[in-house]
Amino acid sequence: MIPRYTRPDMAAIWEPASRFRIWFEIEAHACEALERLDIIPQGTAAAVWRNGDKPYTPERIARIDAIEAEVRHDVIAFLTELAEQVGPEARFVHQGLTSSDVLDTCFAVQLSRASDLLLADLDGLLAALRRRAEEHKFSLTMGRSHGIHAEPTTFGVKLAGHHAEFARCRARLEAARAEIATCAISGAVGTFATVDPQVEAHVADKLGLTPEPVSTQIIPRDRHAMFFATLGVIAGAIERLAVEIRHLQRTEVREAEEFFSAGQKGSSAMPHKRNPVLTENLTGQARLIRGMVLPAMENAALWHERDISHSSVERQIGPDATVALDFSLARLTGVVERLVVYPERMQANVDALGGLHNSQRVLLALTQAGMSREDAYRAVQRNAMTVWQDGGDFAGALKVDGEIAARLPAEEIDALFDPNFFTSQVETIFKRVFGE
C-alpha cells in the first residue's frame, strides 16, 4: 500500500526487519527442540541466540538482499547471512527443515499479529457506533426502501444495525485468526522424515501457534482463503455504512454529513462544496480489499504437495489487504465519532410527504374495521397518490373520503398518525444488540 493509506503499526508487521526477525526466531526455537532431542550438539541454540539475536538493521537487510541477488533464493540468502553472524554452530541451523516451514510459519505469525490490530480496530469502531446509537436512539428519521420513503425508524436504530453487523465481523475475524494461526515444521513434503514432530510442537508453542495436522510441504491454503474472505466481508460492512453516510449527505437529503474542519476545501472550483470524501474513499478501499479475496481463493488449488504459484500473490495481498483494512477501520471510526447529525432535517424529511408514511397503519385499521384488504388498499392508495402528486395533508384527505370515513372516525385517523408508534420497540431492538 502507498503511505497515504498506511498506518505505522500495521506496516511494521510486514517490513523486512520484522519478517527476518520472525524467521530467526523460528530457526532458533527449532534449534532448541533439536538440541533437546540430541539431534544437534548441546549449546547450539544458546550460540544461535547469542550471536544471531541482533537487530535486522538496514545494513543486514542489504547484505541479505545482495546474497539473494546471487543465489536467487530468499531463505538461503537469509541463512547465509545468519551463518556469518552465528559462526560454526550455524551448520546445525535449519536442520531437517524446508523453506516453506519458515515461510508459512512466518506468514501465520504475521497474519495473527495483523488480526490482533484489526480486532482492536473493530473494538474502537464498535464503541463509537454504540455511543452514537445511544445518542440518537429516538432521533426519528425516514426509513427508505428502493431509495424511496417507507416508514420512519430512528437514526439510533440505523447505527445499532451497523453495530450488530460489525460485531458479527469481529466474531468471524476471531475465528479466522484462530484458523490461520497454524505452524508447519514438517520438512520436505510434510512427512517429518527429517524433522521430529516435537520440533514443530515446540516452535508452535513459542510462537503462539497450533501445529498443522497435515501440512504436505505447506500449510493448506483453504485457511488463507477463509482469512482473506473474512477481510472481504468486513470491507463490505465498511462500505455499507460508508454508502449510507454518503446518501444521507446528499444535498437533497442532508440528514448527516462528515465533519468539515475549519480551512477544509471541498472543491477547487466551487467554494460552497462539502463533499463526503472520506466515505467515498472507504468505498474505494473496500473494492480493493474485496479484489484480493479471489486470488486467495484460487491459491487453494496447488500442485500435489506444493508449488509456489501462491507465493507471489500472498507477498502482495498479505500486506496490502491488512494495511488497507486497518486504515479503513480507523478512518470509519473517525467518521462515526465526528459525524454531524441533523435531527431537525430528519424530521423535516419525515414530514415532507404530508404523512404518507402512515399508509400501512390506515390500511390495517380499515381491515380491522371490516373492509377487505383489497378494497382497503385501493382506497388508501387512491388518496396517497393524490397527495404524492399534488401535495397536501394525507390525514385530511382520508377524513373527506366517504368510503374511508364510513369505517374510521376522524379521531381514529388522527390516532393513526402518532409518530411515537414507530419508536415503540426501539428499546427492544437496543436490548437485542447491546444487552440489558
Side-chain angles (χ1 to χ4, degrees):
M1 292 296 293
I2 63 175
R4 185 182 185 94
Y5 305 124
T6 302
R7 301 211 303 161
D9 287 350
M10 184 64 81
I13 292 173
W14 302 103
E15 290 172 356
S18 298
R19 181 175 73 253
F20 291 138
R21 173 65 194 185
I22 298 168
W23 288 10
F24 169 75
E25 291 179 4
I26 292 168
E27 297 286 5
H29 289 311
C31 285
E32 292 169 352
L34 290 164
E35 190 175 304
R36 291 179 186 177
L37 294 167
D38 291 325
I39 295 171
I40 63 175
Q42 298 299 306
T44 299
V48 171
W49 282 107
R50 181 176 62 252
N51 299 323
D53 190 8
K54 303 171 184 176
Y56 278 90
T57 61
E59 292 75 20
R60 287 192 73 184
I61 294 171
R63 174 60 180 152
I64 295 171
D65 290 342
I67 298 169
E68 184 179 358
E70 177 185 352
V71 302
R72 305 297 181 96
H73 195 292
D74 53 356
V75 175
I76 291 175
F78 162 79
L79 293 170
T80 301
E81 192 278 339
L82 181 60
E84 295 173 352
Q85 304 290 329
V86 171
E89 290 85 356
R91 68 187 187 276
F92 300 113
V93 173
H94 205 66
Q95 185 85 19
L97 278 63
T98 189
S99 298
S100 292
D101 291 335
V102 178
L103 295 171
D104 276 14
T105 300
C106 174
F107 197 36
V109 172
Q110 290 174 303
L111 291 177
S112 298
R113 293 176 180 175
S115 297
D116 292 338
L117 292 182
L118 294 173
L119 288 166
D121 293 339
L122 282 165
D123 287 339
L125 176 57
L126 287 166
L129 284 168
R130 179 168 187 170
R131 181 176 66 81
R132 300 309 303 271
E134 294 283 359
E135 178 185 351
H136 292 285
K137 181 186 288 189
F138 292 105
S139 296
L140 200 68
T141 189
M142 182 53 67
R144 298 169 174 90
S145 57
H146 308 277
I148 307 301
H149 282 207
E151 293 185 355
T153 179
T154 77
F155 193 61
V157 169
K158 278 180 179 276
L159 294 180
H162 289 285
H163 184 285
E165 182 173 3
F166 280 108
R168 294 191 295 273
C169 286
R170 193 190 192 286
R172 294 183 187 113
L173 183 56
E174 280 189 320
R177 187 204 185 282
E179 189 169 1
I180 206 66
T182 306
C183 175
I185 307 289
S186 55
V189 302
T191 61
F192 295 101
T194 56
V195 57
D196 193 290
Q198 294 180 62
V199 177
E200 181 183 68
H202 178 75
V203 173
D205 179 66
K206 289 294 184 180
L207 296 178
L209 305 175
T210 302
E212 173 62 46
V214 182
S215 54
T216 66
Q217 191 166 317
I218 60 167
I219 294 172
R221 258 45 193 181
D222 64 291
R223 295 179 181 273
H224 303 74
M226 181 57 70
F227 181 85
F228 286 99
T230 299
L231 301 192
V233 171
I234 297 172
I238 291 172
E239 184 177 16
R240 190 171 81 89
L241 180 50
V243 168
E244 177 71 16
I245 294 169
R246 290 168 60 195
H247 278 309
L248 295 179
Q249 188 163 336
R250 285 182 298 130
T251 306
E252 294 81 3
V253 181
R254 295 188 63 194
E255 295 180 357
E257 66 177 357
E258 296 175 9
F259 179 80
F260 198 83
S261 61
Q264 183 175 342
K265 304 293 191 294
S267 166
S268 63
M270 297 166 283
H272 72 280
K273 295 295 293 298
R274 294 163 68 102
N275 301 330
V277 293
L278 301 180
T279 45
E280 287 176 340
N281 171 261
L282 288 173
T283 293
Q285 292 290 301
R287 293 170 182 166
L288 185 65
I289 295 165
R290 287 197 302 270
M292 300 180 208
V293 175
L294 184 57
M297 295 283 188
E298 293 178 339
N299 277 351
L302 302 178
W303 286 19
H304 303 299
E305 278 59 55
R306 71 160 299 196
D307 63 53
I308 63 164
S309 59
H310 64 286
S311 177
S312 59
V313 174
E314 291 170 353
R315 288 174 192 265
Q316 296 181 72
I317 67 172
D320 286 357
T322 55
V323 165
L325 189 58
D326 173 58
F327 171 86
S328 297
L329 288 168
R331 168 155 286 185
L332 183 58
T333 299
V335 168
V336 171
E337 288 175 339
R338 307 181 76 186
L339 189 69
V340 181
V341 181
Y342 299 109
E344 297 82 4
R345 178 68 179 184
M346 291 177 177
Q347 185 62 56
N349 285 338
V350 169
D351 297 336
L353 293 182
L356 288 184
H357 57 267
N358 296 289
S359 67
Q360 180 181 194
R361 296 201 68 197
V362 180
L363 167 65
L364 297 178
L366 287 171
T367 63
Q368 291 290 322
M371 189 179 289
S372 73
R373 184 177 179 87
E374 292 74 18
D375 289 342
Y377 197 103
R378 280 191 292 270
V380 174
Q381 187 182 47
R382 179 176 65 242
N383 288 276
M385 292 303 99
T386 299
V387 174
W388 181 281
Q389 293 169 356
D390 302 330
D393 174 44
F394 186 41
L398 296 171
K399 291 175 186 177
V400 297
D401 184 301
E403 186 180 13
I404 293 175
R407 301 279 186 174
L408 298 176
E411 61 272 16
E412 288 189 24
I413 292 176
D414 287 337
L416 296 174
F417 283 69
D418 180 4
N420 293 323
F421 173 82
F422 296 102
T423 62
S424 60
Q425 296 299 330
V426 167
E427 292 288 2
T428 299
I429 296 170
F430 268 61
K431 287 177 182 177
R432 287 181 172 185
V433 176
F434 304 114
E436 295 294 335

PDB file of all heavy atoms in Angstrom, residues 85-114:
ATOM      1  N   GLN A  85      26.796 -14.347  11.083  1.00  0.00           N
ATOM      2  CA  GLN A  85      26.655 -13.811  12.443  1.00  0.00           C
ATOM      3  C   GLN A  85      26.928 -14.884  13.499  1.00  0.00           C
ATOM      4  O   GLN A  85      27.595 -14.628  14.498  1.00  0.00           O
ATOM      5  CB  GLN A  85      25.234 -13.261  12.645  1.00  0.00           C
ATOM      6  CG  GLN A  85      24.804 -12.211  11.647  1.00  0.00           C
ATOM      7  CD  GLN A  85      25.545 -10.901  11.820  1.00  0.00           C
ATOM      8  OE1 GLN A  85      25.933 -10.527  12.927  1.00  0.00           O
ATOM      9  NE2 GLN A  85      25.757 -10.195  10.712  1.00  0.00           N
ATOM     10  N   VAL A  86      26.420 -16.078  13.261  1.00  0.00           N
ATOM     11  CA  VAL A  86      26.434 -17.124  14.283  1.00  0.00           C
ATOM     12  C   VAL A  86      27.792 -17.803  14.387  1.00  0.00           C
ATOM     13  O   VAL A  86      28.272 -18.120  15.480  1.00  0.00           O
ATOM     14  CB  VAL A  86      25.322 -18.163  14.003  1.00  0.00           C
ATOM     15  CG1 VAL A  86      25.452 -19.386  14.920  1.00  0.00           C
ATOM     16  CG2 VAL A  86      23.948 -17.511  14.178  1.00  0.00           C
ATOM     17  N   GLY A  87      28.409 -18.075  13.277  1.00  0.00           N
ATOM     18  CA  GLY A  87      29.684 -18.791  13.308  1.00  0.00           C
ATOM     19  C   GLY A  87      29.510 -20.279  13.073  1.00  0.00           C
ATOM     20  O   GLY A  87      28.532 -20.716  12.456  1.00  0.00           O
ATOM     21  N   PRO A  88      30.435 -21.115  13.592  1.00  0.00           N
ATOM     22  CA  PRO A  88      30.445 -22.557  13.278  1.00  0.00           C
ATOM     23  C   PRO A  88      29.144 -23.282  13.606  1.00  0.00           C
ATOM     24  O   PRO A  88      28.762 -24.220  12.903  1.00  0.00           O
ATOM     25  CB  PRO A  88      31.593 -23.083  14.143  1.00  0.00           C
ATOM     26  CG  PRO A  88      32.471 -21.908  14.371  1.00  0.00           C
ATOM     27  CD  PRO A  88      31.566 -20.722  14.452  1.00  0.00           C
ATOM     28  N   GLU A  89      28.440 -22.844  14.678  1.00  0.00           N
ATOM     29  CA  GLU A  89      27.204 -23.538  15.060  1.00  0.00           C
ATOM     30  C   GLU A  89      26.106 -23.389  14.008  1.00  0.00           C
ATOM     31  O   GLU A  89      25.104 -24.100  14.038  1.00  0.00           O
ATOM     32  CB  GLU A  89      26.695 -23.009  16.398  1.00  0.00           C
ATOM     33  CG  GLU A  89      27.549 -23.400  17.601  1.00  0.00           C
ATOM     34  CD  GLU A  89      28.729 -22.452  17.820  1.00  0.00           C
ATOM     35  OE1 GLU A  89      28.908 -21.526  16.975  1.00  0.00           O
ATOM     36  OE2 GLU A  89      29.469 -22.624  18.799  1.00  0.00           O
ATOM     37  N   ALA A  90      26.302 -22.473  13.069  1.00  0.00           N
ATOM     38  CA  ALA A  90      25.274 -22.242  12.043  1.00  0.00           C
ATOM     39  C   ALA A  90      25.037 -23.466  11.174  1.00  0.00           C
ATOM     40  O   ALA A  90      23.994 -23.571  10.528  1.00  0.00           O
ATOM     41  CB  ALA A  90      25.671 -21.056  11.172  1.00  0.00           C
ATOM     42  N   ARG A  91      25.984 -24.412  11.155  1.00  0.00           N
ATOM     43  CA  ARG A  91      25.781 -25.593  10.311  1.00  0.00           C
ATOM     44  C   ARG A  91      24.615 -26.445  10.799  1.00  0.00           C
ATOM     45  O   ARG A  91      24.125 -27.298  10.058  1.00  0.00           O
ATOM     46  CB  ARG A  91      27.065 -26.421  10.254  1.00  0.00           C
ATOM     47  CG  ARG A  91      27.486 -27.109  11.544  1.00  0.00           C
ATOM     48  CD  ARG A  91      28.868 -27.745  11.361  1.00  0.00           C
ATOM     49  NE  ARG A  91      29.283 -28.570  12.490  1.00  0.00           N
ATOM     50  CZ  ARG A  91      29.859 -28.089  13.584  1.00  0.00           C
ATOM     51  NH1 ARG A  91      30.077 -26.772  13.708  1.00  0.00           N
ATOM     52  NH2 ARG A  91      30.235 -28.903  14.565  1.00  0.00           N
ATOM     53  N   PHE A  92      24.196 -26.230  12.041  1.00  0.00           N
ATOM     54  CA  PHE A  92      23.070 -27.001  12.584  1.00  0.00           C
ATOM     55  C   PHE A  92      21.736 -26.252  12.457  1.00  0.00           C
ATOM     56  O   PHE A  92      20.683 -26.805  12.800  1.00  0.00           O
ATOM     57  CB  PHE A  92      23.324 -27.339  14.053  1.00  0.00           C
ATOM     58  CG  PHE A  92      24.562 -28.163  14.260  1.00  0.00           C
ATOM     59  CD1 PHE A  92      25.660 -27.631  14.931  1.00  0.00           C
ATOM     60  CD2 PHE A  92      24.646 -29.451  13.769  1.00  0.00           C
ATOM     61  CE1 PHE A  92      26.812 -28.387  15.118  1.00  0.00           C
ATOM     62  CE2 PHE A  92      25.790 -30.215  13.958  1.00  0.00           C
ATOM     63  CZ  PHE A  92      26.884 -29.680  14.625  1.00  0.00           C
ATOM     64  N   VAL A  93      21.795 -24.982  12.006  1.00  0.00           N
ATOM     65  CA  VAL A  93      20.564 -24.219  11.804  1.00  0.00           C
ATOM     66  C   VAL A  93      19.836 -24.762  10.568  1.00  0.00           C
ATOM     67  O   VAL A  93      20.461 -25.135   9.579  1.00  0.00           O
ATOM     68  CB  VAL A  93      20.886 -22.717  11.621  1.00  0.00           C
ATOM     69  CG1 VAL A  93      19.630 -21.936  11.249  1.00  0.00           C
ATOM     70  CG2 VAL A  93      21.510 -22.150  12.897  1.00  0.00           C
ATOM     71  N   HIS A  94      18.505 -24.820  10.631  1.00  0.00           N
ATOM     72  CA  HIS A  94      17.651 -25.286   9.523  1.00  0.00           C
ATOM     73  C   HIS A  94      17.787 -26.800   9.322  1.00  0.00           C
ATOM     74  O   HIS A  94      17.493 -27.332   8.260  1.00  0.00           O
ATOM     75  CB  HIS A  94      18.035 -24.539   8.226  1.00  0.00           C
ATOM     76  CG  HIS A  94      16.918 -24.469   7.217  1.00  0.00           C
ATOM     77  ND1 HIS A  94      15.747 -23.771   7.411  1.00  0.00           N
ATOM     78  CD2 HIS A  94      16.815 -25.002   5.966  1.00  0.00           C
ATOM     79  CE1 HIS A  94      14.974 -23.874   6.339  1.00  0.00           C
ATOM     80  NE2 HIS A  94      15.592 -24.632   5.448  1.00  0.00           N
ATOM     81  N   GLN A  95      18.225 -27.505  10.405  1.00  0.00           N
ATOM     82  CA  GLN A  95      18.435 -28.952  10.343  1.00  0.00           C
ATOM     83  C   GLN A  95      17.115 -29.676  10.075  1.00  0.00           C
ATOM     84  O   GLN A  95      16.195 -29.653  10.891  1.00  0.00           O
ATOM     85  CB  GLN A  95      19.028 -29.440  11.671  1.00  0.00           C
ATOM     86  CG  GLN A  95      19.415 -30.906  11.709  1.00  0.00           C
ATOM     87  CD  GLN A  95      20.818 -31.135  11.160  1.00  0.00           C
ATOM     88  OE1 GLN A  95      21.611 -30.217  11.086  1.00  0.00           O
ATOM     89  NE2 GLN A  95      21.120 -32.356  10.794  1.00  0.00           N
ATOM     90  N   GLY A  96      16.991 -30.292   8.905  1.00  0.00           N
ATOM     91  CA  GLY A  96      15.795 -31.064   8.573  1.00  0.00           C
ATOM     92  C   GLY A  96      14.617 -30.240   8.105  1.00  0.00           C
ATOM     93  O   GLY A  96      13.575 -30.804   7.743  1.00  0.00           O
ATOM     94  N   LEU A  97      14.744 -28.917   8.107  1.00  0.00           N
ATOM     95  CA  LEU A  97      13.641 -28.059   7.697  1.00  0.00           C
ATOM     96  C   LEU A  97      13.689 -27.799   6.190  1.00  0.00           C
ATOM     97  O   LEU A  97      14.723 -27.983   5.560  1.00  0.00           O
ATOM     98  CB  LEU A  97      13.695 -26.710   8.431  1.00  0.00           C
ATOM     99  CG  LEU A  97      13.111 -26.647   9.853  1.00  0.00           C
ATOM    100  CD1 LEU A  97      13.874 -27.538  10.808  1.00  0.00           C
ATOM    101  CD2 LEU A  97      13.112 -25.205  10.363  1.00  0.00           C
ATOM    102  N   THR A  98      12.554 -27.363   5.664  1.00  0.00           N
ATOM    103  CA  THR A  98      12.498 -26.866   4.289  1.00  0.00           C
ATOM    104  C   THR A  98      12.038 -25.414   4.318  1.00  0.00           C
ATOM    105  O   THR A  98      11.506 -24.941   5.339  1.00  0.00           O
ATOM    106  CB  THR A  98      11.557 -27.728   3.428  1.00  0.00           C
ATOM    107  OG1 THR A  98      11.688 -27.340   2.058  1.00  0.00           O
ATOM    108  CG2 THR A  98      10.113 -27.586   3.863  1.00  0.00           C
ATOM    109  N   SER A  99      12.235 -24.729   3.216  1.00  0.00           N
ATOM    110  CA  SER A  99      11.957 -23.283   3.201  1.00  0.00           C
ATOM    111  C   SER A  99      10.521 -22.960   3.598  1.00  0.00           C
ATOM    112  O   SER A  99      10.264 -21.994   4.321  1.00  0.00           O
ATOM    113  CB  SER A  99      12.239 -22.710   1.806  1.00  0.00           C
ATOM    114  OG  SER A  99      13.594 -22.864   1.477  1.00  0.00           O
ATOM    115  N   SER A 100       9.578 -23.770   3.137  1.00  0.00           N
ATOM    116  CA  SER A 100       8.181 -23.481   3.442  1.00  0.00           C
ATOM    117  C   SER A 100       7.890 -23.568   4.926  1.00  0.00           C
ATOM    118  O   SER A 100       6.960 -22.904   5.413  1.00  0.00           O
ATOM    119  CB  SER A 100       7.264 -24.445   2.672  1.00  0.00           C
ATOM    120  OG  SER A 100       7.317 -24.176   1.288  1.00  0.00           O
ATOM    121  N   ASP A 101       8.655 -24.377   5.669  1.00  0.00           N
ATOM    122  CA  ASP A 101       8.471 -24.413   7.116  1.00  0.00           C
ATOM    123  C   ASP A 101       8.663 -23.025   7.709  1.00  0.00           C
ATOM    124  O   ASP A 101       7.916 -22.600   8.602  1.00  0.00           O
ATOM    125  CB  ASP A 101       9.475 -25.384   7.750  1.00  0.00           C
ATOM    126  CG  ASP A 101       9.199 -26.835   7.405  1.00  0.00           C
ATOM    127  OD1 ASP A 101       8.027 -27.161   7.099  1.00  0.00           O
ATOM    128  OD2 ASP A 101      10.140 -27.639   7.433  1.00  0.00           O
ATOM    129  N   VAL A 102       9.665 -22.327   7.200  1.00  0.00           N
ATOM    130  CA  VAL A 102       9.953 -20.979   7.697  1.00  0.00           C
ATOM    131  C   VAL A 102       8.957 -19.972   7.132  1.00  0.00           C
ATOM    132  O   VAL A 102       8.372 -19.162   7.861  1.00  0.00           O
ATOM    133  CB  VAL A 102      11.395 -20.576   7.324  1.00  0.00           C
ATOM    134  CG1 VAL A 102      11.691 -19.147   7.792  1.00  0.00           C
ATOM    135  CG2 VAL A 102      12.397 -21.557   7.923  1.00  0.00           C
ATOM    136  N   LEU A 103       8.737 -20.035   5.830  1.00  0.00           N
ATOM    137  CA  LEU A 103       7.888 -19.037   5.180  1.00  0.00           C
ATOM    138  C   LEU A 103       6.439 -19.116   5.660  1.00  0.00           C
ATOM    139  O   LEU A 103       5.818 -18.101   5.991  1.00  0.00           O
ATOM    140  CB  LEU A 103       7.938 -19.230   3.662  1.00  0.00           C
ATOM    141  CG  LEU A 103       9.298 -18.988   3.004  1.00  0.00           C
ATOM    142  CD1 LEU A 103       9.257 -19.420   1.544  1.00  0.00           C
ATOM    143  CD2 LEU A 103       9.703 -17.530   3.117  1.00  0.00           C
ATOM    144  N   ASP A 104       5.885 -20.320   5.687  1.00  0.00           N
ATOM    145  CA  ASP A 104       4.478 -20.458   6.058  1.00  0.00           C
ATOM    146  C   ASP A 104       4.250 -20.148   7.531  1.00  0.00           C
ATOM    147  O   ASP A 104       3.244 -19.534   7.899  1.00  0.00           O
ATOM    148  CB  ASP A 104       3.986 -21.865   5.743  1.00  0.00           C
ATOM    149  CG  ASP A 104       3.561 -22.008   4.284  1.00  0.00           C
ATOM    150  OD1 ASP A 104       3.903 -21.116   3.492  1.00  0.00           O
ATOM    151  OD2 ASP A 104       2.903 -23.005   3.950  1.00  0.00           O
ATOM    152  N   THR A 105       5.177 -20.598   8.376  1.00  0.00           N
ATOM    153  CA  THR A 105       5.033 -20.311   9.798  1.00  0.00           C
ATOM    154  C   THR A 105       5.156 -18.820  10.056  1.00  0.00           C
ATOM    155  O   THR A 105       4.407 -18.243  10.857  1.00  0.00           O
ATOM    156  CB  THR A 105       6.070 -21.104  10.605  1.00  0.00           C
ATOM    157  OG1 THR A 105       5.859 -22.502  10.385  1.00  0.00           O
ATOM    158  CG2 THR A 105       5.948 -20.819  12.091  1.00  0.00           C
ATOM    159  N   CYS A 106       6.080 -18.178   9.370  1.00  0.00           N
ATOM    160  CA  CYS A 106       6.216 -16.721   9.499  1.00  0.00           C
ATOM    161  C   CYS A 106       4.941 -16.015   9.045  1.00  0.00           C
ATOM    162  O   CYS A 106       4.458 -15.089   9.717  1.00  0.00           O
ATOM    163  CB  CYS A 106       7.409 -16.230   8.690  1.00  0.00           C
ATOM    164  SG  CYS A 106       7.565 -14.431   8.649  1.00  0.00           S
ATOM    165  N   PHE A 107       4.388 -16.438   7.910  1.00  0.00           N
ATOM    166  CA  PHE A 107       3.173 -15.817   7.397  1.00  0.00           C
ATOM    167  C   PHE A 107       2.027 -15.959   8.397  1.00  0.00           C
ATOM    168  O   PHE A 107       1.239 -15.022   8.601  1.00  0.00           O
ATOM    169  CB  PHE A 107       2.802 -16.457   6.061  1.00  0.00           C
ATOM    170  CG  PHE A 107       1.824 -15.676   5.229  1.00  0.00           C
ATOM    171  CD1 PHE A 107       1.838 -14.287   5.192  1.00  0.00           C
ATOM    172  CD2 PHE A 107       0.881 -16.332   4.444  1.00  0.00           C
ATOM    173  CE1 PHE A 107       0.943 -13.576   4.412  1.00  0.00           C
ATOM    174  CE2 PHE A 107      -0.017 -15.633   3.653  1.00  0.00           C
ATOM    175  CZ  PHE A 107       0.008 -14.250   3.640  1.00  0.00           C
ATOM    176  N   ALA A 108       1.967 -17.106   9.064  1.00  0.00           N
ATOM    177  CA  ALA A 108       0.943 -17.312  10.090  1.00  0.00           C
ATOM    178  C   ALA A 108       1.126 -16.335  11.248  1.00  0.00           C
ATOM    179  O   ALA A 108       0.149 -15.785  11.782  1.00  0.00           O
ATOM    180  CB  ALA A 108       0.989 -18.752  10.598  1.00  0.00           C
ATOM    181  N   VAL A 109       2.376 -16.109  11.653  1.00  0.00           N
ATOM    182  CA  VAL A 109       2.639 -15.156  12.727  1.00  0.00           C
ATOM    183  C   VAL A 109       2.233 -13.753  12.293  1.00  0.00           C
ATOM    184  O   VAL A 109       1.575 -13.003  13.048  1.00  0.00           O
ATOM    185  CB  VAL A 109       4.131 -15.189  13.123  1.00  0.00           C
ATOM    186  CG1 VAL A 109       4.455 -14.056  14.097  1.00  0.00           C
ATOM    187  CG2 VAL A 109       4.488 -16.532  13.747  1.00  0.00           C
ATOM    188  N   GLN A 110       2.605 -13.376  11.079  1.00  0.00           N
ATOM    189  CA  GLN A 110       2.273 -12.033  10.605  1.00  0.00           C
ATOM    190  C   GLN A 110       0.764 -11.819  10.506  1.00  0.00           C
ATOM    191  O   GLN A 110       0.241 -10.776  10.921  1.00  0.00           O
ATOM    192  CB  GLN A 110       2.926 -11.794   9.245  1.00  0.00           C
ATOM    193  CG  GLN A 110       4.447 -11.659   9.310  1.00  0.00           C
ATOM    194  CD  GLN A 110       5.076 -11.570   7.932  1.00  0.00           C
ATOM    195  OE1 GLN A 110       4.887 -12.458   7.096  1.00  0.00           O
ATOM    196  NE2 GLN A 110       5.815 -10.509   7.683  1.00  0.00           N
ATOM    197  N   LEU A 111       0.044 -12.792   9.957  1.00  0.00           N
ATOM    198  CA  LEU A 111      -1.407 -12.653   9.847  1.00  0.00           C
ATOM    199  C   LEU A 111      -2.072 -12.644  11.221  1.00  0.00           C
ATOM    200  O   LEU A 111      -3.065 -11.940  11.426  1.00  0.00           O
ATOM    201  CB  LEU A 111      -1.977 -13.778   8.982  1.00  0.00           C
ATOM    202  CG  LEU A 111      -1.615 -13.723   7.492  1.00  0.00           C
ATOM    203  CD1 LEU A 111      -2.190 -14.928   6.759  1.00  0.00           C
ATOM    204  CD2 LEU A 111      -2.099 -12.429   6.843  1.00  0.00           C
ATOM    205  N   SER A 112      -1.518 -13.389  12.163  1.00  0.00           N
ATOM    206  CA  SER A 112      -2.061 -13.380  13.520  1.00  0.00           C
ATOM    207  C   SER A 112      -1.882 -12.013  14.160  1.00  0.00           C
ATOM    208  O   SER A 112      -2.794 -11.471  14.801  1.00  0.00           O
ATOM    209  CB  SER A 112      -1.375 -14.456  14.368  1.00  0.00           C
ATOM    210  OG  SER A 112      -1.611 -15.746  13.839  1.00  0.00           O
ATOM    211  N   ARG A 113      -0.699 -11.453  14.015  1.00  0.00           N
ATOM    212  CA  ARG A 113      -0.444 -10.123  14.581  1.00  0.00           C
ATOM    213  C   ARG A 113      -1.282  -9.059  13.884  1.00  0.00           C
ATOM    214  O   ARG A 113      -1.793  -8.133  14.539  1.00  0.00           O
ATOM    215  CB  ARG A 113       1.044  -9.792  14.471  1.00  0.00           C
ATOM    216  CG  ARG A 113       1.918 -10.673  15.355  1.00  0.00           C
ATOM    217  CD  ARG A 113       3.406 -10.396  15.159  1.00  0.00           C
ATOM    218  NE  ARG A 113       4.224 -11.260  16.017  1.00  0.00           N
ATOM    219  CZ  ARG A 113       5.549 -11.299  15.989  1.00  0.00           C
ATOM    220  NH1 ARG A 113       6.228 -10.524  15.142  1.00  0.00           N
ATOM    221  NH2 ARG A 113       6.210 -12.108  16.802  1.00  0.00           N
ATOM    222  N   ALA A 114      -1.423  -9.195  12.586  1.00  0.00           N
ATOM    223  CA  ALA A 114      -2.288  -8.265  11.862  1.00  0.00           C
ATOM    224  C   ALA A 114      -3.732  -8.380  12.351  1.00  0.00           C
ATOM    225  O   ALA A 114      -4.432  -7.368  12.519  1.00  0.00           O
ATOM    226  CB  ALA A 114      -2.217  -8.536  10.365  1.00  0.00           C
TER     227      ALA A 114
END
